Amino acid sequence: MKKLSNDIVLRPRFQLEILGNREQLLRKFIDSKKAPFLVNCLDNHIFIKYNKETTHFGSPQLHLEIDALDDRTSKIYGFFGPNPTLWTFFMFLHFVVATLFIIVGIWAYVSASLNKPYGLQVGFMVLLVVVWFALYTFGQMGKRKGKPQIQELYAFMMETLG
């Protein structure tokens, strides 16, 4: 298995082959009770996240999928990602900014084609670019703030697997 790098990419992924039956590995996670982690299982999927007290904007969660290779070995597919609700809202904001930019760009083009003033539209487009950079910067700050928690989630997973 590759060691986690120091860089945070968008939803880092890993794979791990491990000795152990799938049901045994799932049971280890279900039985693990260690603060500040919350473990939820659904079929062969495990979701590990932080409790409310330690959660902040950039807090990641770990999603594991355990597949049986044979009776004695299993393969774990894992990836770190942000809170799905927050991620959806963040992508929605990006979509709204991009859509408004296109609409105002068309409005500016039409105004310019009709030889009408279009300074307001260009100013609004510049404002939308600034908003997009602010969203990008906010996202990068969240990633940076969540980086230590990714390492903690990974260590918790390895400790649970034994």
Side-chain angles (χ1 to χ4, degrees):
M1 182 185 99
K2 292 182 185 176
K3 184 160 176 60
L4 288 175
S5 70
N6 288 334
D7 298 332
I8 288 188
V9 295
L10 190 67
R11 300 177 70 170
R13 298 173 183 274
F14 62 90
Q15 294 179 15
L16 175 65
E17 276 190 36
I18 191 165
L19 280 176
N21 164 315
R22 181 176 76 173
E23 284 73 30
Q24 292 171 337
L25 296 175
L26 287 169
R27 177 61 45 202
K28 284 183 179 183
F29 282 102
I30 291 170
D31 294 341
S32 66
K33 304 279 190 251
K34 181 178 177 188
F37 303 106
L38 299 174
V39 179
N40 297 320
C41 295
L42 181 63
D43 295 329
N44 63 332
H45 295 268
I46 300 167
F47 301 93
I48 306 170
K49 57 186 176 178
Y50 282 89
N51 61 20
K52 294 276 187 204
E53 293 82 36
T54 55
T55 301
H56 55 75
F57 169 73
S59 289
Q61 71 177 26
L62 175 57
H63 173 213
L64 302 172
E65 180 180 353
I66 301 178
D67 288 335
L69 294 177
D70 56 41
D71 290 342
R72 295 183 50 216
T73 58
S74 298
K75 190 163 195 173
I76 298 176
Y77 300 92
F79 68 88
F80 298 95
N83 178 326
T85 306
L86 180 65
W87 179 255
T88 303
F89 178 68
F90 204 64
M91 289 297 103
F92 172 74
L93 289 177
H94 279 278
F95 177 76
V96 167
V97 169
T99 303
L100 286 174
F101 184 85
I102 291 169
I103 290 169
V104 174
I106 292 170
W107 183 21
Y109 175 75
V110 169
S111 293
S113 296
L114 296 174
N115 295 322
K116 296 195 176 206
Y118 54 90
L120 176 67
Q121 293 92 333
V122 172
F124 194 58
M125 288 174 69
V126 169
L127 177 67
L128 288 170
V129 170
V130 170
V131 168
W132 182 82
F133 275 114
L135 285 172
Y136 177 79
T137 303
F138 196 57
Q140 292 300 315
M141 288 171 31
K143 281 184 187 180
R144 198 171 307 114
K145 194 172 180 183
K147 187 175 181 178
Q149 288 185 331
I150 284 180
Q151 299 299 331
E152 290 172 10
L153 283 168
Y154 187 77
F156 171 71
M157 178 199 70
M158 294 306 285
E159 178 185 318
T160 303
L161 291 173

